[in-house]
């Protein structure tokens, strides 16, 4: 037995997944019986698979759902520009803080589900129908629990921040925010989870990599669905929030005292998700607060610049979608080629941006393709959003160049942060499937909103401000 194999056994360094299976498809007892014949050979085989994955295969699988997702972000930008004219948004400014956080739930919850299930698919844990059913049910119910808790927390955060900034507090507004937030989060997450599960299972059956397909396709409807559901519930509840506040209280009590305990009991009995129920809260809640800070930037941008709301969901959505693909791929690579706590030889934990994003380690292959894809993608989306909103093209070349530069800076920050964060989590035996995406998509919301605001300020300073005709 080699020193490495002995260390695997003696130190219990087996990467146990949420499924309950060990990384290489056999449990610890089997390894102890025949360790000499197992893990190192499988690691070498998986490394060969990753090295042989062609760039055009990655690009083909990522680009189609990416451009479909872009259509969704254009629709989300148009909806956001429209709903900000509603009376409820004018009277309850905390809704602007709430919007990025609720849209960020897509990254915090649904894309984590996507990453977990994609890893299971790539590890061969999706062959038995009964196990697939348990896996899917456990993950969907887990997301519903997280959605209820997170929506209540973010509504309180939005109320508190808005009251501090605007100097006013209204108890009925707080009830409205909490109720609308909870209804939006649970409904939109359920729809997205069904889409994700369908895409992952179908792509696995068709021998495609779900890491490349699932998150962009879910994102294609995520922001749009969330905004439409939130604006609809906000308008409905706004009509009754003064006369029937007790009705909103009943809805919240029903979620918290009835549905939440039931879902918790289901997840506790599910071997695929029971550990995540107690361990996955810190990154999700932290990411929500970061996204909430992006909401403050949105509040400023809405007041200062016409058209800011058209492009804010696009830059946030595209950045979050692309970095989520990279997280999912990198996490799967680590699961397949290494044990928790060890970095495989095909990559490194601490590298310079050029090495992580262009050439030098295995994840750089996908990173440079995502960077290249973002340029034509953002160009198409910015022209499409402008034309769709105004009915004709109104943007100038200097606006497009500024927007592309802002989007590229944001993506470089996110992809490099992805490399450092995912590898560091793995090094300290934390599963990046459960924790990395929330931090990075929240960082994408904050950096995207902030950089876009700086871009609008720059354009105004040189008298090239964006001027929509609507």
């Amino acid at each position: 037995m080699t020193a490495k194999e002995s260390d695997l056994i003696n130190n219990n360094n087996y990467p146990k997944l949420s499924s309950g299976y060990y990384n290489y498809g056999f449990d610890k007892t089997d390894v102890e019986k025949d360790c000499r014949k197992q893990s190192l050979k499988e690691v070498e085989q998986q490394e060969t698979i990753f090295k042989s994955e062609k760039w055009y295969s990655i690009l083909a699988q990522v680009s189609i759902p990416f451009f479909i997702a872009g259509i969704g972000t254009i629709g989300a930008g148009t909806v956001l520009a429209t709903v900000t004219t509603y009376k409820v948004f004018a009277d309850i400014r905390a809704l602007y803080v709430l919007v990025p956080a609720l849209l960020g739930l897509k990254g915090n919850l649904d894309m984590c589900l996507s990453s977990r299930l994609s890893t299971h698919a790539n590890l061969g844990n999706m062959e038995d129908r009964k196990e697939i059913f348990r896996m899917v049910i456990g993950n969907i119910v887990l997301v519903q629990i997280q959605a209820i808790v997170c929506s209540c927390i973010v509504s309180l955060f939005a109320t508190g921040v808005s009251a501090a900034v605007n100097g006013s507090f209204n108890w009925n507004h707080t009830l409205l925010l909490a109720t609308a937030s909870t209804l939006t989060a649970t409904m939109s997450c359920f729809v997205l989870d069904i889409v994700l599960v369908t895409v992952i299972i179908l792509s696995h059956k068709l021998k495609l990599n779900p890491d490349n397909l699932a998150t962009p396709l879910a994102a294609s409807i995520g922001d749009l669905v969330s905004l439409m559901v939130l604006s609809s519930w906000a308008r409905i509840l706004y009509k009754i929030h003064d006369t029937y506040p007790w009705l909103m209280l009943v809805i919240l009590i029903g979620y918290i005292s009835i549905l939440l305990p039931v879902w918790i009991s289901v997840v506790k009995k599910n071997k695929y998700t029971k550990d995540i129920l107690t361990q996955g809260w810190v990154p999700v809640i932290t990411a929500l607060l970061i996204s909430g800070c992006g909401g403050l930037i949105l509040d400023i941008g809405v007041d200062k610049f016409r058209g800011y709301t058209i492009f804010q969901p696009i830059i946030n959505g595209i950045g979050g979608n692309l970095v989520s693909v990279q997280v999912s791929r990198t996490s799967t690579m680590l699961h397949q080629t290494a044990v928790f706590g060890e970095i495989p030889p095909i990559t490194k934990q601490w590298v310079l941006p050029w090495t992580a994003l262009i050439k030098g380690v295995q994840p750089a292959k996908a990173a440079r393709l995502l960077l290249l894809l973002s340029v034509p993608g953002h160009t198409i989306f910015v022209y499409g959003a402008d034309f769709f909103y105004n009915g004709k093209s109104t943007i100038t070349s200097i606006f497009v160049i500024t927007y592309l530069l802002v989007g590229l800076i944001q993506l470089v920050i996110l992809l490099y942060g992805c490399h450092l964060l995912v590898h560091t989590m793995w090094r300290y035996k934390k599963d990046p499937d459960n924790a990395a995406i929330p931090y990075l998509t929240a960082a994408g919301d904050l950096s995207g909103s902030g950089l876009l605001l700086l871009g609008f300020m720059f354009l105004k300073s040189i008298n090239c401000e964006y001027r929509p005709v609507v």
Side-chain angles (χ1 to χ4, degrees), residues 2 8 14 81 100 139 147 187 194 197 208 217 235 249 253 258 264 288 302 318 367 398 403 405 411 465:
T2 67
L8 287 175
Y14 296 96
N139 276 278
M187 290 181 180
I194 295 298
V197 168
L208 299 174
L217 282 176
R235 294 181 77 183
L249 192 60
I253 291 174
I258 299 175
I264 290 175
L288 279 177
V302 168
I318 296 305
I398 187 64
Y403 181 86
L405 181 61
L411 188 57
E465 187 176 358

Coordinates of all heavy atoms in Angstrom, one line a residue, residues 2 8 14 81 100 139 147 187 194 197 208 217 235 249 253 258 264 288 302 318 367 398 403 405 411 465:
T2 N 0.6 2.2 -0.9 CA 1.4 3.4 -1.0 C 1.1 4.3 0.2 O 0.1 4.2 0.9 CB 1.1 4.2 -2.3 OG1 -0.2 4.6 -2.2 CG2 1.3 3.3 -3.5
L8 N -5.2 8.1 3.0 CA -6.6 8.1 2.7 C -7.4 7.4 3.7 O -8.5 7.8 4.2 CB -6.9 7.6 1.3 CG -6.5 8.4 0.1 CD1 -6.8 7.6 -1.2 CD2 -7.2 9.7 0.1
Y14 N -12.0 10.6 2.9 CA -12.9 10.3 1.8 C -13.9 11.4 1.6 O -14.6 11.8 2.5 CB -13.6 9.0 2.0 CG -12.7 7.8 2.1 CD1 -12.2 7.4 3.4 CD2 -12.2 7.2 1.0 CE1 -11.3 6.4 3.4 CE2 -11.3 6.2 1.1 CZ -10.9 5.8 2.3 OH -10.0 4.7 2.4
A81 N -38.0 47.9 -15.5 CA -38.2 49.3 -15.9 C -39.7 49.6 -15.9 O -40.1 50.8 -15.6 CB -37.7 49.5 -17.3
P100 N -33.0 42.9 -5.9 CA -31.8 42.1 -6.2 C -31.6 40.9 -5.3 O -31.1 39.8 -5.7 CB -30.6 43.1 -5.9 CG -31.3 44.4 -6.1 CD -32.7 44.3 -5.5
N139 N -34.1 17.6 -2.5 CA -33.5 18.9 -2.9 C -34.6 20.0 -3.1 O -34.4 21.1 -2.7 CB -32.7 18.7 -4.1 CG -31.3 18.3 -3.8 OD1 -30.4 19.0 -3.4 ND2 -31.0 17.0 -3.9
A147 N -36.0 29.0 1.0 CA -36.7 30.1 0.5 C -37.6 30.8 1.5 O -37.6 32.0 1.6 CB -37.6 29.7 -0.7
M187 N -42.7 30.4 -4.7 CA -43.3 30.0 -6.0 C -42.3 30.0 -7.1 O -42.3 29.1 -8.0 CB -44.4 31.0 -6.4 CG -45.7 30.9 -5.5 SD -47.0 32.1 -5.9 CE -48.2 31.7 -4.7
I194 N -38.2 22.7 -10.9 CA -38.8 21.8 -11.8 C -38.0 21.8 -13.1 O -37.7 20.8 -13.7 CB -40.3 22.0 -12.0 CG1 -41.0 21.8 -10.7 CG2 -40.8 21.1 -13.1 CD1 -40.9 20.4 -10.2
V197 N -34.4 20.3 -12.6 CA -34.4 18.8 -12.5 C -34.7 18.2 -13.9 O -34.0 17.2 -14.3 CB -35.5 18.4 -11.5 CG1 -35.7 16.9 -11.6 CG2 -35.1 18.8 -10.1
L208 N -24.9 14.4 -22.2 CA -24.4 15.8 -22.2 C -24.1 16.2 -20.8 O -24.6 15.6 -19.8 CB -25.5 16.8 -22.7 CG -25.9 16.5 -24.2 CD1 -27.1 17.5 -24.5 CD2 -24.8 16.7 -25.2
L217 N -30.0 27.6 -18.4 CA -31.4 27.5 -18.8 C -32.3 27.9 -17.7 O -33.4 28.5 -18.0 CB -31.6 26.0 -19.2 CG -31.1 25.6 -20.6 CD1 -31.4 24.1 -20.8 CD2 -31.8 26.4 -21.7
R235 N -48.5 44.4 -5.8 CA -49.7 45.2 -6.2 C -51.0 44.7 -5.5 O -51.8 45.5 -5.1 CB -49.9 45.3 -7.7 CG -48.7 45.9 -8.5 CD -49.0 45.9 -10.0 NE -49.9 46.9 -10.4 CZ -50.4 47.1 -11.6 NH1 -49.9 46.3 -12.6 NH2 -51.2 48.0 -11.9
L249 N -50.7 38.6 7.7 CA -50.2 37.9 8.9 C -50.6 36.5 8.9 O -49.8 35.6 9.3 CB -50.7 38.6 10.2 CG -50.0 38.2 11.5 CD1 -48.5 38.5 11.4 CD2 -50.7 39.0 12.6
I253 N -48.0 33.3 9.0 CA -48.1 32.3 10.1 C -48.3 30.9 9.5 O -47.7 29.9 9.9 CB -49.2 32.6 11.0 CG1 -48.9 33.9 11.8 CG2 -49.5 31.5 12.0 CD1 -50.0 34.4 12.7
I258 N -46.9 26.0 9.8 CA -47.4 24.8 9.2 C -46.5 24.2 8.2 O -46.0 23.1 8.3 CB -48.8 25.1 8.6 CG1 -49.8 25.5 9.7 CG2 -49.3 23.8 8.0 CD1 -51.1 25.9 9.2
I264 N -39.3 20.5 7.0 CA -38.1 20.2 7.8 C -38.2 18.7 8.1 O -37.1 18.0 8.0 CB -38.1 21.0 9.0 CG1 -37.7 22.5 8.7 CG2 -37.0 20.5 10.0 CD1 -37.7 23.4 9.9
L288 N -27.4 36.8 0.7 CA -28.6 37.6 0.7 C -28.3 39.0 1.1 O -28.8 40.0 0.5 CB -29.7 37.0 1.6 CG -30.5 35.8 1.0 CD1 -31.5 35.3 2.1 CD2 -31.3 36.2 -0.2
V302 N -32.0 54.1 -9.9 CA -33.4 54.4 -10.4 C -33.7 55.9 -10.4 O -34.3 56.5 -11.3 CB -34.4 53.6 -9.6 CG1 -35.8 54.2 -9.9 CG2 -34.4 52.2 -9.9
I318 N -26.1 37.9 -16.5 CA -25.1 37.3 -17.3 C -23.9 36.9 -16.5 O -23.3 35.8 -16.6 CB -24.7 38.2 -18.5 CG1 -26.0 38.4 -19.4 CG2 -23.6 37.6 -19.3 CD1 -26.6 37.1 -19.9
A367 N -12.8 28.9 -18.4 CA -12.8 30.3 -18.0 C -12.6 31.2 -19.2 O -13.3 32.2 -19.4 CB -11.8 30.6 -17.0
I398 N -20.2 54.7 -27.9 CA -19.5 54.9 -26.6 C -20.2 54.2 -25.5 O -19.6 53.7 -24.5 CB -19.3 56.4 -26.3 CG1 -18.4 56.6 -25.1 CG2 -20.6 57.1 -26.2 CD1 -17.0 56.1 -25.3
Y403 N -20.3 49.8 -21.6 CA -21.0 48.7 -21.1 C -20.2 47.4 -21.2 O -20.2 46.6 -20.2 CB -22.4 48.5 -21.8 CG -23.2 47.4 -21.3 CD1 -24.1 47.6 -20.2 CD2 -23.2 46.1 -21.8 CE1 -24.8 46.5 -19.7 CE2 -23.9 45.1 -21.3 CZ -24.7 45.3 -20.3 OH -25.5 44.2 -19.8
L405 N -17.0 47.1 -21.4 CA -15.9 47.1 -20.5 C -16.3 46.8 -19.0 O -15.6 46.1 -18.3 CB -15.2 48.5 -20.6 CG -14.0 48.7 -19.7 CD1 -12.9 47.8 -20.1 CD2 -13.5 50.2 -19.8
L411 N -16.9 40.2 -15.0 CA -16.7 38.8 -15.2 C -15.3 38.3 -14.8 O -15.2 37.2 -14.2 CB -17.0 38.4 -16.6 CG -17.1 36.9 -16.9 CD1 -18.1 36.2 -16.1 CD2 -17.4 36.7 -18.4
E465 N -24.8 60.5 -22.0 CA -25.7 59.7 -21.1 C -26.8 59.0 -22.0 O -27.2 59.5 -23.1 CB -26.5 60.7 -20.2 CG -27.3 60.1 -19.2 CD -27.9 61.1 -18.2 OE1 -27.6 62.3 -18.3 OE2 -28.7 60.6 -17.3

